[in-house]
Amino acid sequence: MVSNDSPLTSQSWPRHLGLIAAVVAGSLMSGCAWMHGKAMRAVATPTLALAVIGDRLLTGKAVLYTDRRATVELSDDKDPALDCLGTMNYTNTTGGVLDLRCNDGSQIRLPYTTIGETQGHASGGGVSVTYGLPPENARAWLMPPAGRRLVLAKEEGFMCNWFDWALSCNYLRLE
């Protein structure tokens, strides 16, 4: 006697075909999304980001993507009590909106203006931000708090390498 306990009988096959098609389609779409994410990161442009927020100078990076958006990470190396993460989104051909959220609870939303393909600045409300500019040029757009100034400096033993943003071996200090 032959048992017909197989889960895929000729009568149940159409029912399972829809499930199989859904699993295959889901796998293909997640694979496409994964590949898209990898491709976007491969053609992304990391660049120096500097900010004066209140009485602090933060440094970090902006990663610019080909779909006219960017991510921004900023921190204070001397006092890690203030870190900010955010996004930049183009709203027109010469700029867009920068949204930052900091770990002190502050939320910053500023319009930014592009200077070039991978350079720009934003300011308002005691906050100024630049991206894509070496420290020598960023100083012109960053606004230090009253009674303080931004000083271009070199640190003893400071090694210049390709990732020191636009081949600049200088850094900024708030005095």
Side-chain angles (χ1 to χ4, degrees), residues 23 28 50 71 75 100 103 107 126 128 134 137 143 145 152 156 161:
V23 169
L28 286 174
L50 297 167
T71 56
S75 62
L100 288 174
N103 64 351
Q107 296 180 13
S128 54
N137 299 345
M143 295 177 283
L152 197 58
E156 290 301 317
N161 62 44

Side-chain angles (χ1 to χ4, degrees), residues 66-141:
T66 57
D67 63 354
R68 300 178 50 82
R69 66 180 179 84
T71 56
V72 181
E73 298 175 17
L74 297 163
S75 62
D76 184 346
D77 292 336
K78 293 177 179 48
D79 182 8
L82 182 62
D83 290 336
C84 300
L85 299 173
T87 59
M88 293 177 7
N89 293 296
Y90 275 89
T91 56
N92 59 53
T93 57
T94 60
V97 177
L98 167 67
D99 286 306
L100 288 174
R101 298 194 190 296
C102 302
N103 64 351
D104 67 353
S106 61
Q107 296 180 13
I108 301 162
R109 184 175 179 92
L110 296 172
Y112 70 87
T113 303
T114 59
I115 299 171
E117 292 279 323
T118 59
Q119 301 173 333
H121 62 90
S123 64
V127 175
S128 54
V129 180
T130 64
Y131 66 92
L133 297 171
E136 297 87 350
N137 299 345
R139 245 178 15 168
W141 301 102

Side-chain angles (χ1 to χ4, degrees), residues 18-32:
L19 178 62
I20 292 169
V23 169
V24 168
S27 297
L28 286 174
M29 286 198 286
S30 68
C32 288

